[in-house]
């Protein structure tokens, strides 16, 4: 896609910007403090109901974010050690046997996958791999999509789930297989479509070897981030860099490790200080939360989600960079997200690029008119919903995001029309235009936070927030103050010229 120049937005007076910073940080800290107080006041009841764990020193820890608890436990069990082994292999082969770096990392990834998901789990992945490889030989995208979707749907077929659960002693081991097959499903679609579009044909054995390497690349195998097959092949084939840059690589490794450790510490501090995941699981607590604590809960949930993925994506991306790959950028802070479009572009950049390349653009996108844009974006969100499991709260979340993106796009087209654009240019100063944009973004931000709460907590969490903030709180002093603070924070997230 061609890059468009960023709109120039006039800077505001320094005193005004300073006031926005103070009010934005102050509102964040105060709402977090109110949530912290509520958590400590109800600590005994939360511990009995949700089985809070003994955390650092004598503090309790909220273990009820499934994803964080699952991956941190798995990291302590084996994942950190296998990542360390991958890094050692990368360093040694880069120095002594550069030509064997890719084969060595592929064999290592396959061995580790076999030890983690077991022989039956790897056999399932190999069956999927060979089905996709054979179907791809027909070079028909529709056939590739059909077979890939059927394989993804098989993950949610109850009889097959029961069989696969029987392969393992614990539910956690089954979930590792489930996550791995889901991630491999994205890679299989990427491989098959790139092969259909590629004009330069290579031998089938070579294709199979590269598909094997792409599938079992260890840093991205379990949880991503996703990188397209085209990018993987282009970057991994690049010649090894000179040994004189080993010192720079070591410096990068140390600094990035420290950053990941810091993010990990922040995430752990949040679930020690604020029991937001336990609170959101009980509708009674959501109903009795004070207004500022309710806002703090919403902020804490989305901020924790952001910090969590800095860790979950940060470590694999660090190893991928050592291998010469260019991984997607790490998520951007959700507090500076003010549009649905920006959230999708900058939170999971790898998934965004994947959706644009394989769904949005092939179906027409914005280049074939509004109708194609609506259809292609809707199918992209539909696929994301299906890939995540297709549950009712995911359907609601996908519809909210689809509607948000379409409304933002429509409003942008309306404001850029000649009549309205000339009116704005004649009657509004540059600074006032920025304030008006921030006001519009405040409404978008409110809906964006609501959709994220549906994704993170379910429909019941979104329903209670909608009732308390937008219905019961409409016109109240707390609601007005929250609206002002949303507007002020959007002022800070808008770029200055």
């Amino acid at each position: 896609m061609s890059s468009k120049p960023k709109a120039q937005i006039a800077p505001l007076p320094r005193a005004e910007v300073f006031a926005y910073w103070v009010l934005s940080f102050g509102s964040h800290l105060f709402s977090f403090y109110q949530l912290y107080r509520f958590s400590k006041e109800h600590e005994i009841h939360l511990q009995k109901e949700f089985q809070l764990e003994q955390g650092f020193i004598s503090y309790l820890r909220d273990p009820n974010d499934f994803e964080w608890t699952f991956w941190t436990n798995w990291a302590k069990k084996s994942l950190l050690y296998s990542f360390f082994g991958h890094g050692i292999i990368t360093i040694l082969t880069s120095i002594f046997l550069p030509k064997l770096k890719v084969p060595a990392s592929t064999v290592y990834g396959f061995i580790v996958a076999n030890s983690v998901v077991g022989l039956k789990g790897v056999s399932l992945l190999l069956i999927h791999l060979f089905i996709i490889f054979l179907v791809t030989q027909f070079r028909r995208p529709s056939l590739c999509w059909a077979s890939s979707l059927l394989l993804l749907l098989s993950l949610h077929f109850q009889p097959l789930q029961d069989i696969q659960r029987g392969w393992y002693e614990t539910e956690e081991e089954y979930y590792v297989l489930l996550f791995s097959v889901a991630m491999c499903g994205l890679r299989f679609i990427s491989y098959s479509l790139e092969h259909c579009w590629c004009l330069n044909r290579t031998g089938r054995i070579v294709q199979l070897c590269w598909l094997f390497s792409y599938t079992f690349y260890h840093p991205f195998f379990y949880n991503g981030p996703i990188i397209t097959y085209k990018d993987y092949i282009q970057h991994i084939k690049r010649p090894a860099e000179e040994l004189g840059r080993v010192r720079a690589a070591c410096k990068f490794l140390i600094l990035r490790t420290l950053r990941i450790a810091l993010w990990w510490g922040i995430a752990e501090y949040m679930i020690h200080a604020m029991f937001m995941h336990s609170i959101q699981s009980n509708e009674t607590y959501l109903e009795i939360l004070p207004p500022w604590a309710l806002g703090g809960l919403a902020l804490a949930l989305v901020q924790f989600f952001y910090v969590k993925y800095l860790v979950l994506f940060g470590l694999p991306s660090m190893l991928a960079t050592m291998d010469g790959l260019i991984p997607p950028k790490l998520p951007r802070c959700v507090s500076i997200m003010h549009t649905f479009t920006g959230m999708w572009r900058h939170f999971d950049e790898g998934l965004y690029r994947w959706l644009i390349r394989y769904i949005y653009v092939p179906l027409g996108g914005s280049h074939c008119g509004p109708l194609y844009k609506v259809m292609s974006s809707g199918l992209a969100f539909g696929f994301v919903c299906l890939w995540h499991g297709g549950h009712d709260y995911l359907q609601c979340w996908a519809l909210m995001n689809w509607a948000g993106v379409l409304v933002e796009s429509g409003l942008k087209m309306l404001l850029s029309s000649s009549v309205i654009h000339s009116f704005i240019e004649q009657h509004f100063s540059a600074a006032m235009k920025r304030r008006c944009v921030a006001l519009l973004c405040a409404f978008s931000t409110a809906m964006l936070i609501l959709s994220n709460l549906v994704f993170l907590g379910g429909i019941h969490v979104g329903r209670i927030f909608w009732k308390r903030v937008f219905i019961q709180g409409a016109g109240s002093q707390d609601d007005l103050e929250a609206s002002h603070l949303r507007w002020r924070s959007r002022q800070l997230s808008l770029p200055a010229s």
Side-chain angles (χ1 to χ4, degrees), residues 445-481:
T445 301
M447 293 298 102
L448 180 61
I449 293 175
L450 184 64
S451 72
N452 287 334
L453 292 174
V454 171
F455 179 76
L456 297 174
I459 293 177
H460 75 282
V461 175
R463 174 171 47 81
I464 292 175
F465 268 87
W466 173 264
K467 181 182 70 173
R468 291 200 57 190
V469 175
F470 297 99
I471 297 179
Q472 295 178 353
S476 68
Q477 186 65 26
D478 288 324
D479 186 65
L480 292 174
E481 290 175 357

Side-chain angles (χ1 to χ4, degrees), residues 80-108:
L80 285 178
Y81 305 108
S82 62
F83 277 172
F84 180 76
H86 179 91
I88 293 297
I89 289 177
T90 295
I91 294 173
L92 293 179
T93 53
S94 297
I95 296 174
F96 300 107
L97 297 168
K99 293 183 179 180
L100 294 180
K101 186 179 76 170
V102 175
S105 64
T106 302
V107 172
Y108 177 81

Side-chain angles (χ1 to χ4, degrees), residues 334-345:
V334 292
S335 287
I336 63 172
M337 301 285 190
H338 51 268
T339 62
F340 283 89
T341 306
M343 185 72 178
W344 277 93
R345 275 184 186 162

Side-chain angles (χ1 to χ4, degrees), residues 143-255:
L143 190 59
C144 294
W145 265 111
S147 57
S148 298
L149 289 176
L150 286 174
L151 291 177
L152 283 175
L153 286 172
S154 69
L155 294 176
H156 312 296
F157 187 54
Q158 190 62 46
L160 288 178
Q161 288 182 340
D162 295 336
I163 293 173
Q164 292 165 8
R165 278 188 170 92
W167 296 345
Y168 304 103
E169 296 180 357
T170 64
E171 191 77 0
E172 287 74 16
E173 292 175 307
Y174 164 71
Y175 281 127
V176 174
L177 174 68
L178 184 66
F179 297 149
S180 302
V181 174
M183 290 304 305
C184 287
L186 297 182
R187 288 191 279 270
F188 292 152
I189 294 173
S190 178
Y191 163 79
S192 60
L193 294 181
E194 294 292 350
H195 182 73
C196 291
W197 298 336
C198 182
L199 299 177
N200 299 323
R201 300 191 180 186
T202 57
R204 293 181 179 177
I205 300 299
V206 175
Q207 294 174 22
L208 185 60
C209 290
W210 279 115
L211 175 59
F212 198 84
S213 173
Y214 178 54
T215 301
F216 289 99
Y217 180 67
H218 182 59
F220 294 163
F221 181 73
Y222 303 105
N223 197 42
I226 188 65
I227 185 173
T228 66
Y229 178 77
K230 180 181 178 181
D231 289 340
Y232 176 80
I233 296 300
Q234 287 180 347
H235 299 156
I236 207 73
K237 282 184 176 180
R238 291 186 303 180
E241 298 189 1
E242 299 177 1
L243 297 181
R245 302 194 62 180
V246 172
R247 181 177 298 180
C250 292
K251 181 180 179 181
F252 164 80
L253 181 63
I254 294 171
L255 292 177

